[in-house]
């Protein structure tokens, strides 16, 4: 798919966007959010840029709110402060995935000592917003009011984060029984109860995220992927963001490739990644998406999180041990299933 120099060019593109304080905005002058920032940090680690990845995690540690959350949006270069004061729970939880990935990559217990309190506050905050039937409320409004609704994509991502958080807790010998209970209840909801989430079935992320987020594996994962393959996949181009729009996106395509790999379908994962090379810019960065009815790149931005998702998919397919362990999820703790809870 990519040779060493092509990978290096893509990594240079992410590094060029990283601010001096460690933050990684979407693109020059753009805003950043904690989830996509963490995705870029993991991509830096798979490329061997560990010091840059640590700076990214340090920014998260320094920016965390007292309650363990982060805001949904921060300004990029040219402005400072918060651009969106709402809070999205999956944005907050995803740090655990990045920190465990960094630990498996670098085996740096001192780093883990520094980040563990940050992860613990983030996951305590997230678990505190679990709804009675298992999902996690997807956001707090700008006034701090939690919504009483959940998103399947967000909850699937949180499930993955909780499992990584439990792996950190297990490694440190610091059990987190509240997380274990929350993980079991959340896994059951994501895997078996789509009716407990807002209906966002038009979006491809709701299709593949139960697989990417580790709720489904084996035959169940393969059935889910096959069920909507023709609705979302555009042969030769990639994956639609929304089923009824003629727009394929690099980030969703790379994530689907990672989900395919996790479900044992490496062949189609490679095919998807090859298709989206039409989004590659000559400098190694990637356009966000392409409107195929108009033969138009849109929006005209090349995002660090698109490059990050692609590099993680390439790393998994290439057998990078940390990426395989985190996204394959075979050795991540499962949490506790509570009989009759859901």
């Amino acid at each position: 798919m990519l040779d060493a120099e092509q990978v290096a060019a893509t990594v240079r593109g992410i590094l060029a966007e990283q601010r001096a304080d460690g933050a990684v905005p979407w693109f020059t002058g753009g805003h950043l959010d904690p989830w996509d920032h963490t995705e870029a940090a993991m991509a830096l680690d798979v490329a061997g840029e560990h010091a840059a990845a640590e700076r990214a995690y340090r920014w998260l540690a320094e920016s965390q709110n007292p309650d363990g959350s982060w805001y949904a949006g921060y300004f990029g270069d040219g402005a400072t402060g918060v651009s969106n004061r709402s809070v999205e729970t999956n944005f907050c939880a995803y740090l655990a995935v990045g920190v465990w990935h960094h630990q498996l990559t670098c085996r740096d217990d001192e780093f883990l000592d520094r980040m563990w309190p940050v992860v613990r506050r983030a996951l305590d905050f997230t678990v505190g917003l679990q709804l009675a039937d298992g999902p996690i409320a997807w956001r707090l409004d700008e006034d701090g009011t939690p919504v009483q609704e959940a998103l399947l994509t967000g909850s699937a991502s949180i499930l993955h984060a909780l499992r990584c958080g439990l792996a950190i807790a297990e490694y440190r010998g610091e059990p987190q029984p509240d997380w274990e209970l929350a993980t079991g209840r959340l896994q059951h909801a994501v895997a078996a109860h789509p009716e407990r989430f807002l209906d966002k079935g038009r979006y491809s992320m709701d299709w593949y995220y139960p697989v990417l987020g580790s709720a489904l594996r084996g035959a169940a994962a393969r059935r889910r992927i096959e069920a909507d393959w023709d609705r979302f996949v555009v042969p030769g181009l990639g994956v639609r963001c929304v089923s009824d729009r003629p727009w394929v996106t690099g980030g969703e395509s790379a994530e689907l490739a990672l989900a395919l790999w996790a479900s044992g379908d490496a062949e189609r994962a490679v095919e998807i990644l090859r298709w989206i090379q039409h989004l590659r810019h000559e400098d190694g960065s990637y356009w966000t998406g392409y409107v195929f009815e108009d033969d138009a790149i849109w929006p005209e931005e090349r995002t660090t999180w698109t490059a990050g998702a692609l590099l993680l998919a390439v790393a998994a397919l290439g057998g990078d041990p940390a990426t395989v362990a985190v996204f394959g999820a075979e050795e991540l703790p499962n949490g506790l299933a509570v009989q009759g809870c859901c």
Side-chain angles (χ1 to χ4, degrees), residues 24-26 31-38 59 71-74 91 305:
V24 185
W26 286 15
H31 87 287
L32 64 98
D33 69 76
W35 198 101
D36 291 309
H37 169 95
T38 300
W59 181 86
Y71 293 117
Y74 297 81
F91 286 11
W305 47 266

Side-chain angles (χ1 to χ4, degrees), residues 11 13 42 81 121 134 164 174 190 198 232 252 265 273 281 294 296 299 301 323 328 332 336 342:
V11 174
M42 285 192 283
R121 287 192 296 269
C164 288
E174 299 185 35
V190 172
L198 293 173
F232 288 111
E252 278 82 350
D265 193 350
L273 293 179
H281 187 269
D294 299 331
E301 61 186 33
T323 308
L332 294 179
L336 297 176
C342 305

Side-chain angles (χ1 to χ4, degrees), residues 168-180:
I168 299 171
E170 184 177 282
Y171 178 82
R172 293 180 59 84
E174 299 185 35
Q176 301 293 317
D178 289 348
W179 300 0
E180 293 180 17

Side-chain angles (χ1 to χ4, degrees), residues 59-71:
W59 181 86
L60 284 169
E62 293 171 352
S63 303
Q64 190 176 36
N65 295 324
D67 65 0
S69 70
W70 287 269
Y71 293 117

Side-chain angles (χ1 to χ4, degrees), residues 40-59:
M42 285 192 283
L44 292 173
D45 264 332
V46 299
E49 297 288 347
H50 306 309
E54 284 200 28
R55 288 197 301 274
Y57 292 120
R58 189 180 307 121
W59 181 86

